[in-house]
Amino acid sequence: MLIDAIRAIYKTNLGIKDNEKTLVFTDRLSGSEIIDAYEQCRRERLRDIALLTAEAGRAFTKKVIFFEYPSTLGHGKEPPVQLWSLAFGDKAVKGLTDAGLLKPLLNKEINDEGIRIAEGIIKRQRRSSVSAVIALSNYSTSHTRFRDLLTRVCGARYASMPLFDFAMLEGAMNVDWKALAKRTESIAKMVNNAQDIELKTMNGTHLCFSKAGRKAYSDTGILTKAGSFGNLPAGEVYLAPLEGTANGRLVLEWAPTRELASPITLIIKKGVVVEVLGDEPYADYLRSRLNERMENANIAELGIGTNDKAQRPDNILESEKILGTIHIALGDNSSFSGSIRTPFHQDFVFFRPTLLLINKNGKKTALMKDGRFIYGCRYA
């Protein structure tokens, strides 16, 4: 059963052909990481999944590349040079190095002109790039320039699967993909009619922001077209709020992989977190990450869960896909229409939310009330 579900990643989600070079990678524990026995076991299982996935891929293509590297210690950080070479080819990486662009890319310090030049270098060598990627690292590579250049410039299909767990193969991955795609795309269409968005939850969260000029994207799990990118498990509509426009507060009850002992409140003004309130240990971690770079405090993403098979709240990869949830991310949004580049992207999920869509005339439409979708109903 499990191996059939893994094979479906190649056949159904990515549509791998027998002549396509496919890259499967994971990250191993870094020597500087201090984790408990449960977390160590979970990380070891993730590596097992990656190895099994790479081996299963040989039934679909002989060109499967497997690679593992030391953990980068953070979601949104660029992977190491060796992975860039495997993905883009040695000539592309040499070209980036000779142009003085590789280090700024890895540090997310490259400017727009540098990105334009890097795109040209990679485009000239794109025949050497991989056709598809299955990213089974613990720390997400979704919001990296590595992923963006592979999908947007090289046309690779990219399945991002950070924190993946065997149980997801029988849970959130065991979904009707066609029905999920139809639902997700329908919700994205409604969101794209809005100019502003307002989020409320019963625990005190209240956030308002503008989405003017920003597109809501659909993560459906169908990644068969060139340049496709999404999570597996899939099932969300997501967008980058317009920088500088978010105001309000977020009351967090869940960290990415556990329920918090007590809530943490984030105060947001003019698009950034200006204060972290709470004495839960995770609050200190958040404060330290937000103090590293001012860009880390950016309100980067709003996501809407659309997967009716997703259930578990203690793994952000799945919890942000639960039908009727909302997630908000901090940090980098440069890979999906935003302007903030930083080696940090962290999502937080909110249950039973009310989400209001506000058009250019100020009329409010409730997309969700207390976690239930309200199609076409008005709510003031």
Side-chain angles (χ1 to χ4, degrees), residues 66-331:
F66 176 77
F67 185 71
E68 60 178 318
Y69 57 87
S71 164
T72 61
L73 306 180
H75 301 295
K77 291 189 175 183
E78 297 293 336
V81 175
Q82 297 95 317
L83 191 66
W84 284 69
S85 292
L86 290 173
F88 295 99
D90 292 334
K91 289 183 178 180
V93 171
K94 184 179 186 302
L96 293 172
T97 303
D98 292 345
L101 297 173
L102 186 60
K103 187 174 180 180
L105 276 169
L106 295 177
N107 294 333
K108 285 195 171 177
E109 295 172 345
I110 192 167
N111 58 27
D112 290 342
E113 176 63 14
I115 291 173
R116 186 188 65 78
I117 297 170
E119 289 170 352
I121 292 170
I122 289 172
K123 188 174 182 179
R124 289 191 291 273
Q125 303 295 335
R126 63 182 174 183
R127 287 188 178 181
S128 299
S129 67
V130 295
S131 301
V133 175
I134 302 175
L136 279 159
S137 52
N138 181 68
Y139 289 104
S140 175
T141 56
S142 294
H143 305 287
T144 61
R145 194 57 63 183
F146 171 82
R147 194 280 303 166
D148 174 58
L149 291 169
L150 268 175
T151 54
R152 185 169 52 82
V153 178
C154 300
R157 289 108 69 203
Y158 200 108
S160 182
M161 304 168 68
L163 302 171
F164 195 83
D165 190 286
F166 272 118
M168 294 177 187
L169 293 169
E170 296 179 331
M173 292 286 287
N174 186 28
V175 69
D176 182 332
W177 293 107
K178 289 184 179 180
L180 175 65
K182 183 178 180 180
R183 179 188 308 124
T184 305
E185 289 165 357
S186 175
I187 293 169
K189 184 176 180 180
M190 287 184 280
V191 173
N192 275 323
N193 289 326
Q195 176 120 338
D196 298 284
I197 291 179
E198 183 176 357
L199 165 67
K200 299 177 182 179
T201 65
M202 290 184 291
N203 70 357
T205 288
H206 188 193
L207 188 71
C208 302
F209 63 84
S210 171
K211 69 168 288 291
R214 295 292 166 80
K215 178 183 177 181
Y217 297 91
S218 301
D219 178 22
T220 66
I222 305 300
L223 307 172
T224 54
K225 293 183 179 179
S228 297
F229 156 69
N231 281 149
L232 292 178
E236 68 171 287
V237 173
Y238 64 99
L239 63 94
L242 188 63
E243 292 81 5
T245 66
N247 290 284
R249 64 173 56 210
L250 298 173
V251 182
L252 313 182
E253 294 183 334
W254 286 86
T257 57
R258 68 175 178 87
E259 187 173 12
L260 297 171
S262 59
I264 296 171
T265 300
L266 309 183
I267 305 299
I268 295 97
K269 294 182 180 179
K270 296 182 178 180
V272 297
V273 177
V274 297
E275 192 172 6
V276 179
L277 304 175
D279 54 9
E280 219 276 351
Y282 191 77
D284 289 331
Y285 167 79
L286 261 184
R287 291 185 188 104
S288 68
R289 294 309 307 269
L290 299 188
N291 288 334
E292 287 175 0
R293 294 171 65 151
M294 60 182 294
E295 294 88 351
N296 291 359
N298 174 56
I299 299 300
E301 177 187 5
L302 169 100
I304 303 167
T306 63
N307 187 324
D308 57 313
K309 293 294 187 178
Q311 295 183 357
R312 58 186 298 182
D314 61 342
N315 185 310
I316 193 64
L317 176 63
E318 181 167 341
S319 65
E320 69 177 15
K321 311 304 189 307
I322 296 173
L323 183 67
T325 60
I326 292 293
H327 57 278
I328 299 289
L330 308 179

Side-chain angles (χ1 to χ4, degrees), residues 16-37:
I16 299 296
K17 300 177 179 62
D18 59 10
N19 62 340
E20 290 190 309
K21 187 164 41 173
T22 302
L23 173 63
V24 180
F25 67 81
T26 189
D27 54 356
R28 61 180 177 269
L29 280 168
S30 168
S32 61
E33 290 184 86
I34 301 174
I35 59 175
D36 59 26

